[in-house]
Each structure stands twice: as structure tokens, then as C-alpha cells.
Amino acid sequence: MAWVNAQLIDGKAVAARVRAEVKAEVDRLKYEHGLTPGLAVVRVGEDPASKVYVNGKKKAAEEVGFRSWELHPDEGISQAALLEVIHQLNADPAVHGILVQLPLPKHIDPDVIISAVKPEKDVDGFHPLNAGNLLLGRSTTRACTPYGVMRLLEEIGCDPAGKRAVVVGRSNIVGKPMALMLLQKNATVTICHSKSDLRREVEGADILVVAVGGAELVKGAWIKPGAVVIDVGMNRKPDGKLVGDVEFAAAAERASFITPVPGGVGPMTIAMLMRNTLDAAVRYGLVPVVR
Ligand code: GUN
């Protein structure tokens, strides 16, 4: 019998569940401890995609019951002045989570800004201390998108242990932390990049996570029958159609599970940001860190 079409992984529904879990915990935190988690989002300049993402983050924060602030310095802000903004948020006890939306304007070094965020308020999981703790297999704040992918795998009952996991893309935001999270769950992990023999690696994947930003770069014919396919990509084609990094229809004929684009991984990023902010508030809002 030919492989039946893959089951869709409904990221939108899972994300709604995660946000509902967070909201219930926020309600309890407010009632029992009088503590309201606070999230500050910093958006520099007028990048149109960043505006959409940040609006989504603010809306979700309000829905789960956080206090939220958007700081919106203009494109021309100096690195020193932006650092001053971060320092003020670091010092503000009402702010438990700080997120600096990327990309930043060219004259600002993102590494300097990310490193300036207090690690305990770094709800993106991008600070070197949090990224390093993930590398060491210690409990830490995890980058939201790969953390969301791990939740999706859990939801479909996919245990990575002993499986071949192939991660396409080696960004600090998705690819590298994704590979480490899969390794922590005992997958055998391969990271692919522009110099890899992509087809050969993809053909061996039981779990495939693609995050490169190339429209339909991974062909459906390369997918191992029965594989779990997670598409982190989001690309606008010249005809206006939104597509992922995987050729969806052809891949869905071979995969056991696949994420749609949109409605797959995308909504999970924001949901896990809510989870990270709540966890930061519980960890450092209830018991202030003494330094
Ligand atoms: N730009 C694209 N993705 C992200 C993300 O997850 N966090 C931040 N801060 N900026 C991004």
C-alpha cells in the first residue's frame, strides 16, 4: 500500500494550548503571590516584518495576562543609547523578560546588545550564558522556536531517542539550538549548511527540521517515507504565495507528519516566548536574585 498522506501538525492549536496553560499559571501567580509577569519588547526602527512579529508578541502577552511594554527607538539610535535602554530594563523589577527584536540596524552589533541583557531576563535564550548552558545540557532558558519544535514533537508522540535527526540551517536562533535540543533527547544529529550534500543528508532523516529561508529548497522526493518533517521557513514567492523551505505537497506524500506553512511552527515561537517569560517571572520575580 502506498504511504497515505502525512498528518498535519497543527501548530496553531498547540500554541493556543500552550498560551492557555501559561494564562492559567499567570492567574494563579497573581492570586497567590500578587505577581504579574512583565515583558518588555524592544523594536528598533521600521523593519516591516519585525513590526508584525512584535505586534503578535504584544497581543499574546496581553492575552495571557502579562504586563507588556514596547520600546520603539528610531533607526538612528546609537549603540550606546540602546545599551542604556537595556540597562534600564535590566534594573526595572517589574520587567521579568526582555526581548530585542532582530535584525538590528547595521551600525549596531547584535552580539553586544544580546550580551547586555541580564541572562535571567533573556527570554529569547540568545544570551551567551543561556546558549552555553544549553550546550552543556543544563536547564536554561531555551530559544523559543526550537523549544516550540520540541513541544510539537512531544505532541505527536515522536521521541527523538535513537532516531536520525537532520537539521538544515546553522543559525544561532534556530539551527544550532535545535540540534542541541534534539541531541539532549538522544537523537543522532546532523547539521547541514550551504556546503552539505543536502539531498544525501535529508534522505537519511527520520526527523527533519529545515530552517534556512529558501523557498521549497528541500524537495519532496528527498523525504524518507514515514519521516517527521518540521518546516521553520516562511518565504514569500513572487506570486505572493507564502511557502516554507520544504516542497510541501510532494513531501506530504512521503512524510508521516508535517507542519504546514503558515500555521505550523510560526505560532509556536510566540507561545514559547510566553512560557519563557512566565518561567523567568517565577524564577526571579518571586525570589529576587541577590548579586
Ligand atoms: N527575529 C527573528 N526571529 C526572532 C526571534 O525569535 N527573536 C528575536 N528577538 N528576533 C527575531
Side-chain angles (χ1 to χ4, degrees), residues 42-47 50 72-79 82 100-111 113:
V42 181
R43 175 169 71 92
V44 180
E46 296 304 330
D47 182 84
S50 290
H72 184 207
D74 66 36
E75 190 85 17
I77 189 173
S78 69
Q79 182 165 297
L82 185 57
V100 182
Q101 187 65 30
L102 302 176
L104 290 169
K106 295 268 180 292
H107 65 280
I108 297 175
D109 182 346
D111 291 344
I113 302 301

Side-chain angles (χ1 to χ4, degrees), residues 15 175 180 185 190 222 264 276 291:
L180 290 167
K185 291 288 183 190
T190 303
W222 304 351
N276 280 347
R291 285 182 186 266

Side-chain angles (χ1 to χ4, degrees), residues 53 57 99-103 124 126 144-145 173 269:
Y53 291 140
K57 289 169 186 181
L99 180 142
V100 182
Q101 187 65 30
L102 302 176
D124 252 335
F126 294 168
C144 303
T145 302
I173 293 181
T269 300

Side-chain angles (χ1 to χ4, degrees), residues 19 39-64 66 68-72 99-102 266-267 269-271 273-274:
R19 291 200 309 270
L39 172 65
V41 181
V42 181
R43 175 169 71 92
V44 180
E46 296 304 330
D47 182 84
S50 290
K51 188 172 179 181
V52 175
Y53 291 140
V54 166
N55 281 342
K57 289 169 186 181
K58 274 192 324 194
K59 185 164 165 273
E62 278 149 28
E63 278 170 13
V64 298
F66 294 168
S68 83
W69 302 266
E70 181 185 356
L71 293 91
H72 184 207
L99 180 142
V100 182
Q101 187 65 30
L102 302 176
T269 300
I270 293 182
L273 174 68
M274 301 301 112

Side-chain angles (χ1 to χ4, degrees), residues 200-220:
R200 189 184 65 193
E201 302 301 338
V202 167
E203 280 176 345
D206 302 310
I207 300 172
L208 176 68
V209 182
V210 191
V212 275
E216 299 172 325
L217 184 86
V218 170
K219 302 303 168 199

